[in-house]
Structure formats: C-alpha cells, structure tokens
Amino acid sequence: MNAMASSCDRRTAALSVTNGGTLSMIVGIDLGTTNSLIGVYRDQGSVLFPNSLGSVLTPSAISLDEDGAVLVGQAARDRLVTHPGRSVATFKRWMGSPRETTLGARKFRPEELSALVLRSLIMDAEAALGSKVVEAVISVPAYFSDAQRKATRTAGTLAGIKVERLINEPTAAALAYGLQKRTGSGKFLVFDLGGGTFDVSIIELFEGVVEVHASAGDNFLGGEDFLELLVSACAKDLGLDLAVLTPGELAQLRQRLERAKREISPARPARVVFTAAGTAQTWTCDEDRFAVLAEPLVQRMRAPLERAVRDAKLDPSSLDEIVMVGGASRMPVAARLVAGMFGRLPLRHVNPDEAIALGAAVAAGMKARDARLDEVILTDVCPYTLGTEVAKRNPDGTPRFGFYHPIIQRNSAVPISREDTFWPTTDDQTEMSVDVYQGEHPMVAKNIKLGEISVPLPKVKDRAQKGVTVRFTYDINGILQVNVKVDTTGEQRELVLQQNPGLLTNEEIKARLAALADIKVHPREKQENLALIARAERLYEEYLDARDSLQSYILTFRAVLDSQDDRAVARSRRELIEALDAVERA
Ligand code: AMP
C-alpha cells in the first residue's frame, strides 16, 4: 500500500545492546535532504560527532569513483560538478519510490544511497566512540508516508544497523528544545525551513505523550529559493546575462550571494563584489530590498502555517511555543513572518542545523533507558486521509459515481479505528464493492486507489435491508485493515493493505545487502585527502583562469600522497587548502 503514517514502536525504553562484550550506544541520526548528522546522548546532553573533515554536517551526497569505491559527503558534493554522471544528491526526495540512479556502471535505489550515507556517519561515530554502533534512532519528516518510512528502515538494514525507531523530525526538534521536560501539557509549532523544503508541524505534549497533531509543508520551498531570488535580482539590476558568465564566474557569484544572504541584517546591507564576463562588478542589497524580493516566498510560507493550525483545530494564541529549525530559519524574514502571524517571538537558541539530530540523540538516549531522561511516549499521525468511493444522487434520482468519502481523516493520531455505514445504490444489487482510497480530493479519480473488497448482499429487494458497515483500522505499524460487514446477515470480508508497490521484499533486501557489501567506502583517514582533490577538481572545472596552477597543485598533491609520507602529506594538504582558498577568494 502506498500510504500513510508510521510504523513506529511505542515502547520507549530498551536496554543498550552489547556487542561482542563491548557496550554499544544507540545513536541518533538526522538523515537530511541536504546534510546528515549523527550523535548520542551523554551526561550533559546530546553530542554530535564530526566527520573526517571535522564538520558535524555531512552533505547527503554520494559519488562513485573510477575504482568503484564510494565517496560520501563533501567530496561527493564537489564531484556533482566534476563528475555529474557518477554523483548524486537530494535522493531523500525519492525514498519510498523504486527510482534507480545510475552511477558509473551501477544502479542504486534511494534506500541504498541513504544506506551509504548512514554507513559513513556510523564510521564517524564509531571512530569517536571507540566502539561499535549497531542501533539507531533515525528522524524522518512527519509527512513521510508509510512507504517512505519503510524505505528509511530498509536503508538502516542495508547499512548494517538496527533501526530501533523512527522519530518525526518536529518531535526531535521539540526534544532538542527540552519541551518534554515542561510540566503539564503544551502545544508547540515547529517551523522547519531547510535548503529545499519547508515543513510545519503542530505537536502536543500531554501527560508525557508527544503527538504530532498536524503537519503541512511545501516540498519545493527552501533557502535555495531565496538564493535564486538574489541571483536574478542582481543580474537584473546590473543588466547581466547570466548565460555569458563562465562556470567559474557563475559559481563565484552564487557563492558570494549565498554569503550575502546569510549576512543581510537591518544593521548591515550586503555588498557583493564579483567578476562577470571579465569585468569587476559590485552589487548591494539591504534588508528592506531583501524583504521586498522575498515577499512572494514569504507569502508561500503562510499557507502551510495556516493549514497546520487549521488542521490541528487550534486557536493560534493557544500555542505555548514556536520553535524554528533548519538552516534557512535563521533569515530574519522567517522570524518576522512567524512573529507577525502568531504575535510572539519564536525560540531560536538551538543551532537550527543541528536541532533535529540533537533531538534524535535525545530519543536514542530514551531508547537506551538513560536514567537522566524522563520517559516520554512518542506517537504519530496518519498524514493522509483514507476513505472510500460513494455515489450521490442527481436531482432525477439517478446515481452519480466518483465521490470521495473520508473514513479516517488526515492527521488523526494512530492507531485509529473508524467505521461508517453504506447502502447499495440500487434495490437489486447483489454485491457491494468497497474501493479504498488515500488522498485529499473530493473526487476519487484525483486520489490514490489502494485496493478494493466486495461482500455479497442478501437477496432481498429492499435497499434499506442491505446496509454494510465499513471499518478502517490503521495501526502503528502502518497496516490498514478494512473490514466490511453486512448488518443484517453478519457476513464479513477483510482486506489487509500493507504491501507498498516499489518497496523491497525481504529477499530483495538480502540480495541488495550482498551487492552493497562489495562496494568499498573509502576509509576515514583517506577521505580528507580525497575531499581536497574533489574540491580542487571542482575549482578546475569552474575557474578557467586558474586552470594551469590548479592542475599543477593536483599533480603535486597526488605525488605526495603516493609517497605515503604522513608528515609530507599533512604539510602538502595545508598548502593546498591555502591555495584553493586563494583561488576562491580571487
Ligand atoms: P539545511 O537543509 O537545514 O541544511 O538548510 C540549508 C539552508 O539554510 C541553505 O539554503 C542555506 O543557505 C540556509 N542557511 C544556512 N545558514 C543561514 C543563515 N545564516 N542565513 C540564511 N540562510 C542560511
């Protein structure tokens, strides 16, 4: 079934696992669209682990090198420019679908690409912990369908870890802010503006239970769109045709405007200096201008905010707190929008890039029954409406088919069971067929059909004697059970929908696991050097004027690497970083 809410596990307490005598930690992972992070819960709170480049943010990008070995993270992101046919990013958007990506001579499913990111994160965690990691809590967007959640679990299996539970990203954000420690009950809005997605969720805490009440969003709105605004405004103001810029000039312009986007504040207009078609150019943009430019995007953010509040049947003034996460939530326009709509200042003190991973680590701590954490139960919602098809009568009494009749409404807390009674359209009908749909449109043709079931009707002439009760039960494991029962005869039929088309079967997972096992991920100690070469090659591609020197830097560095003299490699690495920084600054 192509659907719905989570397959989550309600138990929150479990013992840490021991593996070969060593105590293994349960890690918390934010498997993000742009970046991924990993951490654990310790005495003082959550800690995140740096990757081999020293950053806690690992770009969710994969590249296959010429020897068939995998590069993960920054090196892979740089290789998107130099080796587009061997590199990929933003595959989180394809989770739950059978879409395959060809890298070199191999094909990868989205869960395999995610598994490679997970493997790299786990290597970083194991390097920091000095012990094996075998269990994880992974965060997923609240709106992730059942198929997408199952694909995330499969990614964990393919990476060789047990996914103890999936946690909704807004719930993780709330845990990072410690909202679960507040006494009594509370309603919180989580505003998550990342690089390419915008998610709004309303969560409620009641007697130790955290529930996602409503989620809404825009899958194609994020920080990158604000950058695009600046690129086109700058080009328009200066009368530049972006098509005549060299790739290096374009890369430099985007990089400087990205910096400007992050710097613009009421006190500080951004001044951007760059080269276009060989000529030096300067462009300034102050906060007011940015606000005007950003207005259409800000308006787009209003709709999901309003929808989430409406779905949760909330009076906006009854919200206890608003928390902002995701890198782009740092923009003052975002905070202003929220303050204007809700009449209060949002909480923004936890690093918005890290909040979800920090919260996933808190949940991992709970799983490991960390005494420092009070037990909080986390529940989930069904993110889509589930219903059936009904007919309506024309004024002349003839039936018109194709109308959608919701049985379980979107954003209902799971598990849930709801029933409704239906009658056949004609007196002589001998069978009732119930079509099961998922979606939000009043006409079934616009929704997704999940399955159908029919039940024989009693052979009586009177329609009123042929009532059928249809019960939908949606459980915590993402299984929808449809039960149809003829009221007069008691005759029943049952349909269980759990197979997602496009998901891997257990046998297929085993086969993929074996196939992935022979893919080598470069060891951590090599990654720093590989990332540097990837960066140098990207700059070679982009900065035509610097090609000669870049080529000799790369050759020299490769020769030093071949010497296997660690001290010489370290020195050469430092020199290369300085040289590359200088190329980008020029
Ligand atoms: P994420 O997907 O959460 O990593 O978000 C990345 C997005 O956050 C990118 O579009 C960045 O441009 C944006 N971002 C990061 N820091 C800032 C900042 N200080 N101001 C504005 N946008 C930022």
Side-chain angles (χ1 to χ4, degrees), residues 6 85 170 252 285 299 340 376 416 426 440 447 488 514 547 554:
S6 76
Q252 185 195 50
C285 181
Q299 285 308 329
V376 178
I416 184 168
T426 57
E440 312 305 323
N447 295 326
T488 47
R547 282 195 161 178
I554 295 169

Short mmCIF file of all heavy atoms in Angstrom, two decimals, residues 6 85 170 252 285 299 340 376 416 426 440 447 488 514 547 554:
data_model
loop_
_atom_site.label_atom_id
_atom_site.label_comp_id
_atom_site.label_asym_id
_atom_site.label_seq_id
_atom_site.Cartn_x
_atom_site.Cartn_y
_atom_site.Cartn_z
N SER A 6 3.16 6.11 10.33
CA SER A 6 4.41 5.48 10.67
C SER A 6 4.27 4.03 11.07
O SER A 6 3.20 3.58 11.44
CB SER A 6 4.97 6.19 11.86
OG SER A 6 4.25 5.76 12.97
N GLY A 85 27.83 12.36 -13.80
CA GLY A 85 27.31 11.03 -14.12
C GLY A 85 27.65 9.98 -13.06
O GLY A 85 27.16 8.85 -13.12
N PRO A 170 9.81 16.99 13.62
CA PRO A 170 9.37 18.03 14.55
C PRO A 170 9.41 17.56 16.01
O PRO A 170 9.68 18.35 16.91
CB PRO A 170 7.95 18.36 14.11
CG PRO A 170 7.53 17.22 13.25
CD PRO A 170 8.78 16.67 12.63
N GLN A 252 31.27 31.68 -8.54
CA GLN A 252 31.72 32.72 -7.62
C GLN A 252 30.56 33.63 -7.24
O GLN A 252 30.36 33.96 -6.06
CB GLN A 252 32.82 33.54 -8.32
CG GLN A 252 33.44 34.58 -7.43
CD GLN A 252 34.25 35.59 -8.23
OE1 GLN A 252 33.76 36.15 -9.23
NE2 GLN A 252 35.47 35.80 -7.83
N CYS A 285 22.69 45.03 -1.48
CA CYS A 285 21.29 44.70 -1.19
C CYS A 285 21.10 44.90 0.31
O CYS A 285 21.82 44.30 1.11
CB CYS A 285 21.00 43.25 -1.57
SG CYS A 285 19.30 42.76 -1.28
N GLN A 299 5.03 34.85 1.34
CA GLN A 299 3.59 34.58 1.19
C GLN A 299 3.34 33.08 1.02
O GLN A 299 2.38 32.54 1.55
CB GLN A 299 3.01 35.35 -0.01
CG GLN A 299 2.83 36.83 0.23
CD GLN A 299 2.04 37.14 1.51
OE1 GLN A 299 1.17 36.38 1.93
NE2 GLN A 299 2.39 38.24 2.16
N GLY A 340 4.76 37.96 13.19
CA GLY A 340 3.60 38.69 12.71
C GLY A 340 2.34 37.84 12.75
O GLY A 340 1.27 38.30 13.13
N VAL A 376 9.20 9.67 27.83
CA VAL A 376 8.18 10.36 27.05
C VAL A 376 7.74 9.41 25.96
O VAL A 376 8.57 8.77 25.32
CB VAL A 376 8.77 11.63 26.40
CG1 VAL A 376 7.71 12.32 25.56
CG2 VAL A 376 9.31 12.57 27.44
N ILE A 416 -5.78 3.95 15.01
CA ILE A 416 -7.14 4.51 14.96
C ILE A 416 -8.05 3.53 14.25
O ILE A 416 -7.63 2.82 13.34
CB ILE A 416 -7.13 5.89 14.27
CG1 ILE A 416 -8.53 6.50 14.31
CG2 ILE A 416 -6.61 5.81 12.84
CD1 ILE A 416 -8.58 7.97 13.91
N THR A 426 -28.70 0.57 -5.83
CA THR A 426 -29.98 0.09 -6.39
C THR A 426 -30.55 -1.04 -5.53
O THR A 426 -29.80 -1.72 -4.82
CB THR A 426 -29.79 -0.46 -7.83
OG1 THR A 426 -28.82 -1.50 -7.78
CG2 THR A 426 -29.32 0.62 -8.78
N GLU A 440 -6.77 13.64 -0.62
CA GLU A 440 -7.48 14.78 -0.04
C GLU A 440 -8.49 15.39 -0.99
O GLU A 440 -9.12 16.39 -0.68
CB GLU A 440 -6.47 15.88 0.39
CG GLU A 440 -5.28 15.40 1.18
CD GLU A 440 -5.65 14.61 2.43
OE1 GLU A 440 -6.66 14.97 3.07
OE2 GLU A 440 -4.96 13.62 2.75
N ASN A 447 -7.49 10.88 -6.28
CA ASN A 447 -6.79 10.28 -5.13
C ASN A 447 -6.12 8.97 -5.55
O ASN A 447 -6.23 8.55 -6.70
CB ASN A 447 -7.79 10.07 -3.99
CG ASN A 447 -8.31 11.41 -3.46
OD1 ASN A 447 -7.58 12.39 -3.46
ND2 ASN A 447 -9.57 11.44 -3.05
N THR A 488 -27.38 -7.02 8.27
CA THR A 488 -28.47 -7.97 8.52
C THR A 488 -28.00 -9.42 8.59
O THR A 488 -28.47 -10.20 9.40
CB THR A 488 -29.56 -7.84 7.44
OG1 THR A 488 -28.91 -7.83 6.18
CG2 THR A 488 -30.40 -6.59 7.64
N ALA A 514 23.98 -8.05 -0.01
CA ALA A 514 25.16 -8.75 -0.52
C ALA A 514 25.84 -7.90 -1.59
O ALA A 514 27.07 -7.78 -1.63
CB ALA A 514 24.73 -10.10 -1.11
N ARG A 547 43.27 27.43 -14.18
CA ARG A 547 43.41 26.00 -14.51
C ARG A 547 44.85 25.50 -14.45
O ARG A 547 45.10 24.42 -13.92
CB ARG A 547 42.80 25.71 -15.87
CG ARG A 547 41.30 25.63 -15.77
CD ARG A 547 40.68 25.02 -16.97
NE ARG A 547 39.34 24.58 -16.61
CZ ARG A 547 38.48 24.02 -17.45
NH1 ARG A 547 38.83 23.83 -18.70
NH2 ARG A 547 37.31 23.65 -17.03
N ILE A 554 47.18 19.84 -8.15
CA ILE A 554 46.60 18.49 -8.03
C ILE A 554 47.69 17.43 -8.27
O ILE A 554 47.82 16.46 -7.51
CB ILE A 554 45.42 18.30 -9.02
CG1 ILE A 554 44.27 19.25 -8.65
CG2 ILE A 554 44.92 16.86 -9.02
CD1 ILE A 554 43.16 19.37 -9.69
#
